[in-house]
PDB file of all heavy atoms in Angstrom:
ATOM      1  N   GLU M 562     -50.003 -38.394 -26.245  1.00 96.00           N
ATOM      2  CA  GLU M 562     -49.311 -39.116 -27.192  1.00 96.00           C
ATOM      3  C   GLU M 562     -48.269 -38.280 -27.897  1.00 96.00           C
ATOM      4  O   GLU M 562     -47.119 -38.685 -28.140  1.00 96.00           O
ATOM      5  CB  GLU M 562     -50.163 -39.855 -28.184  1.00 96.00           C
ATOM      6  CG  GLU M 562     -49.518 -40.898 -29.011  1.00 96.00           C
ATOM      7  CD  GLU M 562     -50.393 -41.723 -29.865  1.00 96.00           C
ATOM      8  OE1 GLU M 562     -51.562 -42.017 -29.422  1.00 96.00           O
ATOM      9  OE2 GLU M 562     -50.002 -42.027 -30.968  1.00 96.00           O
ATOM     10  N   ALA M 563     -48.702 -36.965 -28.204  1.00 96.00           N
ATOM     11  CA  ALA M 563     -47.760 -36.117 -28.915  1.00 96.00           C
ATOM     12  C   ALA M 563     -46.602 -35.757 -28.027  1.00 96.00           C
ATOM     13  O   ALA M 563     -45.384 -35.578 -28.485  1.00 96.00           O
ATOM     14  CB  ALA M 563     -48.543 -34.837 -29.234  1.00 96.00           C
ATOM     15  N   ALA M 564     -46.784 -35.607 -26.719  1.00 97.00           N
ATOM     16  CA  ALA M 564     -45.654 -35.280 -25.784  1.00 97.00           C
ATOM     17  C   ALA M 564     -44.673 -36.479 -25.835  1.00 97.00           C
ATOM     18  O   ALA M 564     -43.427 -36.241 -25.813  1.00 97.00           O
ATOM     19  CB  ALA M 564     -46.217 -35.085 -24.355  1.00 97.00           C
ATOM     20  N   VAL M 565     -45.187 -37.712 -25.733  1.00 97.00           N
ATOM     21  CA  VAL M 565     -44.334 -38.879 -25.741  1.00 97.00           C
ATOM     22  C   VAL M 565     -43.506 -38.939 -27.024  1.00 97.00           C
ATOM     23  O   VAL M 565     -42.243 -39.104 -27.020  1.00 97.00           O
ATOM     24  CB  VAL M 565     -45.127 -40.214 -25.490  1.00 97.00           C
ATOM     25  CG1 VAL M 565     -44.256 -41.387 -25.674  1.00 97.00           C
ATOM     26  CG2 VAL M 565     -45.729 -40.178 -24.213  1.00 97.00           C
ATOM     27  N   ARG M 566     -44.177 -38.764 -28.140  1.00 97.00           N
ATOM     28  CA  ARG M 566     -43.531 -38.739 -29.428  1.00 97.00           C
ATOM     29  C   ARG M 566     -42.423 -37.647 -29.591  1.00 97.00           C
ATOM     30  O   ARG M 566     -41.420 -37.922 -30.175  1.00 97.00           O
ATOM     31  CB  ARG M 566     -44.566 -38.661 -30.593  1.00 97.00           C
ATOM     32  CG  ARG M 566     -45.379 -39.938 -30.813  1.00 97.00           C
ATOM     33  CD  ARG M 566     -46.211 -39.788 -32.112  1.00 97.00           C
ATOM     34  NE  ARG M 566     -47.035 -40.951 -32.218  1.00 97.00           N
ATOM     35  CZ  ARG M 566     -46.683 -42.214 -32.676  1.00 97.00           C
ATOM     36  NH1 ARG M 566     -45.346 -42.228 -33.155  1.00 97.00           N
ATOM     37  NH2 ARG M 566     -47.432 -43.162 -32.760  1.00 97.00           N
ATOM     38  N   GLY M 567     -42.806 -36.545 -29.035  1.00 97.00           N
ATOM     39  CA  GLY M 567     -41.839 -35.425 -29.028  1.00 97.00           C
ATOM     40  C   GLY M 567     -40.518 -35.814 -28.377  1.00 97.00           C
ATOM     41  O   GLY M 567     -39.428 -35.538 -28.820  1.00 97.00           O
ATOM     42  N   VAL M 568     -40.616 -36.414 -27.223  1.00 97.00           N
ATOM     43  CA  VAL M 568     -39.364 -36.909 -26.456  1.00 97.00           C
ATOM     44  C   VAL M 568     -38.680 -37.996 -27.196  1.00 97.00           C
ATOM     45  O   VAL M 568     -37.411 -37.898 -27.368  1.00 97.00           O
ATOM     46  CB  VAL M 568     -39.803 -37.353 -25.045  1.00 97.00           C
ATOM     47  CG1 VAL M 568     -38.532 -37.921 -24.345  1.00 97.00           C
ATOM     48  CG2 VAL M 568     -40.389 -36.233 -24.220  1.00 97.00           C
ATOM     49  N   LEU M 569     -39.376 -38.878 -27.743  1.00 97.00           N
ATOM     50  CA  LEU M 569     -38.718 -40.041 -28.430  1.00 97.00           C
ATOM     51  C   LEU M 569     -37.990 -39.485 -29.678  1.00 97.00           C
ATOM     52  O   LEU M 569     -36.930 -39.882 -30.022  1.00 97.00           O
ATOM     53  CB  LEU M 569     -39.800 -41.038 -28.903  1.00 97.00           C
ATOM     54  CG  LEU M 569     -40.511 -41.757 -27.761  1.00 97.00           C
ATOM     55  CD1 LEU M 569     -41.569 -42.767 -28.351  1.00 97.00           C
ATOM     56  CD2 LEU M 569     -39.557 -42.481 -26.846  1.00 97.00           C
ATOM     57  N   ASP M 570     -38.607 -38.427 -30.322  1.00 97.00           N
ATOM     58  CA  ASP M 570     -37.997 -37.839 -31.477  1.00 97.00           C
ATOM     59  C   ASP M 570     -36.610 -37.105 -31.055  1.00 97.00           C
ATOM     60  O   ASP M 570     -35.633 -37.296 -31.718  1.00 97.00           O
ATOM     61  CB  ASP M 570     -38.978 -36.794 -32.114  1.00 97.00           C
ATOM     62  CG  ASP M 570     -38.548 -36.468 -33.519  1.00 97.00           C
ATOM     63  OD1 ASP M 570     -38.133 -37.391 -34.248  1.00 97.00           O
ATOM     64  OD2 ASP M 570     -38.621 -35.252 -33.814  1.00 97.00           O
ATOM     65  N   GLU M 571     -36.708 -36.306 -30.009  1.00 97.00           N
ATOM     66  CA  GLU M 571     -35.602 -35.696 -29.464  1.00 97.00           C
ATOM     67  C   GLU M 571     -34.414 -36.572 -29.144  1.00 97.00           C
ATOM     68  O   GLU M 571     -33.292 -36.288 -29.283  1.00 97.00           O
ATOM     69  CB  GLU M 571     -35.891 -34.764 -28.250  1.00 97.00           C
ATOM     70  CG  GLU M 571     -36.684 -33.515 -28.550  1.00 97.00           C
ATOM     71  CD  GLU M 571     -37.279 -32.880 -27.299  1.00 97.00           C
ATOM     72  OE1 GLU M 571     -36.810 -33.185 -26.262  1.00 97.00           O
ATOM     73  OE2 GLU M 571     -38.224 -32.117 -27.468  1.00 97.00           O
ATOM     74  N   LEU M 572     -34.821 -37.742 -28.636  1.00 97.00           N
ATOM     75  CA  LEU M 572     -33.760 -38.637 -28.163  1.00 97.00           C
ATOM     76  C   LEU M 572     -33.411 -39.694 -29.347  1.00 97.00           C
ATOM     77  O   LEU M 572     -32.658 -40.585 -29.104  1.00 97.00           O
ATOM     78  CB  LEU M 572     -34.241 -39.486 -26.976  1.00 97.00           C
ATOM     79  CG  LEU M 572     -34.497 -38.616 -25.668  1.00 97.00           C
ATOM     80  CD1 LEU M 572     -35.152 -39.420 -24.536  1.00 97.00           C
ATOM     81  CD2 LEU M 572     -33.204 -37.965 -25.202  1.00 97.00           C
ATOM     82  N   ASP M 573     -33.974 -39.445 -30.456  1.00 96.00           N
ATOM     83  CA  ASP M 573     -33.767 -40.330 -31.625  1.00 96.00           C
ATOM     84  C   ASP M 573     -34.067 -41.763 -31.446  1.00 96.00           C
ATOM     85  O   ASP M 573     -33.309 -42.639 -31.747  1.00 96.00           O
ATOM     86  CB  ASP M 573     -32.334 -40.118 -32.045  1.00 96.00           C
ATOM     87  CG  ASP M 573     -32.091 -40.511 -33.537  1.00 96.00           C
ATOM     88  OD1 ASP M 573     -33.072 -40.549 -34.315  1.00 96.00           O
ATOM     89  OD2 ASP M 573     -30.949 -40.911 -33.836  1.00 96.00           O
TER      90      ASP M 573
END
Side-chain angles (χ1 to χ4, degrees):
Chain M
E562 194 171 322
V565 173
R566 284 188 185 278
V568 173
L569 297 179
D570 196 42
E571 283 167 20
L572 297 174
D573 199 25

